Structure formats: C-alpha cells, structure tokens
C-alpha cells in the first residue's frame, strides 16, 4: 500500500489484507504499515486520481465529498485503538518482539 495506488484492501478484501499484514510484520527489517491499514480504511482512489489519506485529514475539502455509501470517514475521528484491525497489528507486533527480538537489525 502507498498513496500512489488504491488501498490493497479495496482491491483484494480483508482476509488477503490480513495475510499481507502478517507477511510484512515478520519480514526481516522494520515493518512498514501504510497509515490507515491498522484502521481497516478501504476507500478507493490514490493521490494520482485525487484521493489519498482522506480518512486522516482534517481538511474541510475532504469532508464535503461522500467517499463511501455510509458517508465520508473524514467526518469524524477515525483512529480507534479498539478496532479489530488495530488489535491485529498490535498482536503481530507483540509476537514479533517476543519471538524475534531484534530480528533483521544490523547489529
């Protein structure tokens, strides 16, 4: 995932996104999760067609556009530490830390 492409979850679905998140979490080096993946953001679009990170933006311009049938996620605070996706990423990070420690570090 990155701001130049549609979110992978839009194109593939939640189960596939969960698998990719696990692979990224246990790949050697520092895991890099795209902002919003831990919140299950799945709005379509990219920076190339005018959509990128709208759920995290405080801009009033984003709030004027309906992005999903339920409305625009930018209408409120979308950060939720109790969401299933957030807790999934948190568990993966804890597992990585507990079982692999400094896995992939240069030292």
């Amino acid at each position: 995932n990155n701001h130049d492409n549609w979110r992978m979850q839009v194109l593939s679905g939640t189960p596939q996104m969960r698998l990719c998140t696990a692979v990224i979490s246990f790949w050697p080096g520092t895991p890099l999760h795209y902002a919003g993946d831990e919140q299950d953001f799945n709005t379509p679009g990219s920076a190339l067609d005018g959509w990128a990170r709208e759920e995290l933006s405080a801009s009033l311009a984003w709030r004027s556009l309906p992005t999903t049938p339920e409305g625009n996620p930018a209408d409120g605070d979308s950060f939720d530490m109790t969401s299933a996706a957030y807790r999934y990423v948190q568990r993966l990070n804890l597992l990585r830390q507990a079982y692999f420690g400094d896995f992939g570090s240069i030292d």
Side-chain angles (χ1 to χ4, degrees), residues 14-92:
T14 300
Q16 293 83 358
M17 183 63 195
R18 293 284 192 271
L19 176 62
C20 289
T21 301
V23 169
I24 289 168
S25 295
F26 292 104
W27 202 263
T30 303
L32 180 62
H33 302 285
Y34 181 54
D37 286 347
E38 81 289 352
Q39 298 297 318
D40 270 341
F41 291 165
N42 64 357
T43 51
S46 71
L48 301 176
D49 56 12
W51 295 96
R53 298 187 181 182
E54 67 277 6
E55 302 96 339
L56 302 173
S57 175
S59 169
L60 293 176
W62 286 120
R63 293 181 179 182
S64 67
L65 300 169
T67 58
T68 67
E70 295 80 32
N72 190 332
D75 284 340
D77 182 4
S78 298
F79 186 72
D80 179 7
M81 292 174 62
T82 65
S83 73
Y86 183 92
R87 289 182 288 122
Y88 179 74
V89 171
Q90 183 181 43
R91 285 191 304 268
L92 291 173

